[in-house]
Each structure stands twice: as C-alpha cells, then as structure tokens.
Amino acid sequence: MIRALAFLCALALPAGAEEIVADMSQDRIAISTDFDGSEILIFGAIKREEPQPDASQMAILVTVAGPREDVTVRRKERRFGIWVNTDAVDVSGAPSFYAVASTIPLSRALTPEEDERWRITAPRAILAPGMAIMSRDDPAFLDALIRVRTDSRNYAIADDSVTLRDATLFSTEIDLPSDLTEGNYDTRIFLTRDGMVVDSYATSIFVQKVGLERWIYTLAHEQPLIYSFLSLFIAISAGWGASAVFRYIRS
C-alpha cells in the first residue's frame, strides 16, 4: 500500500518534458532448496509536462543485469575423430544474468551511438568499460558466450515484450532462472524517441540464499576445509549405504 501511494505521489512531482516513474512487484528474492525460478513484474508510467511529440517514435527498454563474474569461453574443433578444446578466451566481469525487454525491436528503439553510450544490448553490456575485459578481441567468442547463456536462460532478448498503453503506462515480466547468483540485480528502464535516450530510471533486485541453501553457501565460502570434509563424509556415507542396501537385496 505504501509503495503504491509513493508511486502515485511521484506522478504529481514536477519534472522535465518526459520522465519515467516505475516500480516492481518485488525487490528481494529468497533462494531456498525448492526454488525453481521467479518472475518479476516491472511497471510504470511516463510523466509529462506537455503533450508528447507526435512525429517521433517512442520506445521503452528494460534491462536486468546480475552480478558479474569471470568466464572462460572455449572453442572446440574436431581433430582425429574427437572434439577437443583448441582455443580459449577469458572474460572478466561478464553479467551472470542479463535480460533486455522492449516495446519494439532494439534495432528501431536504439541507435548504435546511444547503445555505445548506455550499454543496453547484451554485447555492449558485457564489454562495459571498467567491467568486462576479454583477453582477445574476437567477436566469435563473445557471440558464443551470449548463445550459450541464452540457451541456458541466463541471457534473454525479448523484443515487443513490454506492453505500452496510451503511450503512458508500461509493464513487462522478466523471468529469472533457478540457478541465480546471489547479489544485486541492477534494473534499468529507458525511454527513447527516434532511437535517442530521453530519460532513464535505475533500481535493483536483491537475491539471497536462505535456509539450508544459505548454510551450505556460507560454509563453502567461509569454511572450505570443513565443507570439503563434510562433502567427503556425505559421499562416503552415501556409497556405503547404497552398498549395504544392495548386499541386503542380494542376500
């Protein structure tokens, strides 16, 4: 109720020609043992002081970027009848998750110059200055990283997935996979006209493990030696238990 009132009050605040006012269905996600993914509703409105321009093409773009991590992308080739790794590229600081949603295709919603400035498309977001660094300048490895992560639902580009009503109200749903990395998921919303960014809005979603998932994560990162011995003990116990069951069945 409080968030809804704040959203409505924001609409009445003075602003420039056009301004984004937005909110989300939830800004915290708890990962437990039965977590199988989540869906975030992002919605908002365009606040104006004067009528919108009639001749320009308007678009809304929404991006969600997960915590950054180091990735090694490998190239495989068939040699002597088997597939082997022949080359590799290290990417430092690639988003663990990245989704882009828009009201119209990105090629029409955003000029290359604005994409270079705001880093909205997946290739630009991955190689944002001061973040991701590739050990080799080879676009094939970048394309492979995006393709693999798209297949695993960790990257998503969804044109025409943002609903826009009366050129004012907008909403979209972002699907989050089950294997989320813990941390902040930066969310950005852009208003563009004729491919140029008119206004932007930023917020974040916090993802955190809870319960048994949290205990295992903390143990693995803060007490790795104990975690290793516990994992070994569980593996040995499971193997011994399975062996005992089979002996009992055969006897």
Side-chain angles (χ1 to χ4, degrees), residues 127-160:
L127 300 179
M131 296 183 181
I133 301 174
M134 292 186 69
S135 58
R136 280 182 48 188
D137 186 14
D138 189 338
F141 287 92
L142 180 60
D143 292 342
L145 173 61
I146 295 174
R147 183 177 65 255
V148 170
R149 295 207 159 180
T150 299
D151 292 341
S152 64
R153 293 182 59 224
N154 287 297
Y155 283 10
I157 295 89
D159 294 335
D160 304 316

Side-chain angles (χ1 to χ4, degrees), residues 89-128:
V89 165
D90 295 325
V91 182
S92 300
S96 57
F97 174 86
Y98 196 74
V100 184
S102 60
T103 52
I104 60 177
L106 289 177
S107 59
R108 292 163 46 203
L110 193 68
T111 65
E113 293 77 16
E114 288 293 88
D115 189 21
E116 178 72 27
R117 176 187 177 191
W118 294 95
R119 305 285 172 171
I120 295 175
T121 62
R124 294 299 184 188
I126 293 173
L127 300 179

Side-chain angles (χ1 to χ4, degrees), residues 181-234:
T181 301
E182 190 175 40
N184 281 316
Y185 284 65
D186 297 325
T187 302
R188 298 182 300 165
I189 304 172
F190 299 91
L191 166 64
T192 68
R193 285 197 176 276
D194 294 333
M196 306 295 291
V197 174
V198 175
D199 190 38
S200 64
Y201 176 92
T203 184
S204 65
I205 305 166
F206 184 66
V207 175
Q208 183 180 34
K209 293 179 172 64
V210 297
L212 181 60
E213 287 282 329
R214 181 64 185 173
W215 182 80
I216 294 175
Y217 178 86
T218 302
L219 186 66
H221 286 79
E222 297 182 2
Q223 301 289 340
L225 184 60
I226 297 177
Y227 176 79
S228 299
F229 281 118
L230 181 61
S231 299
L232 183 62
F233 172 76
I234 293 174

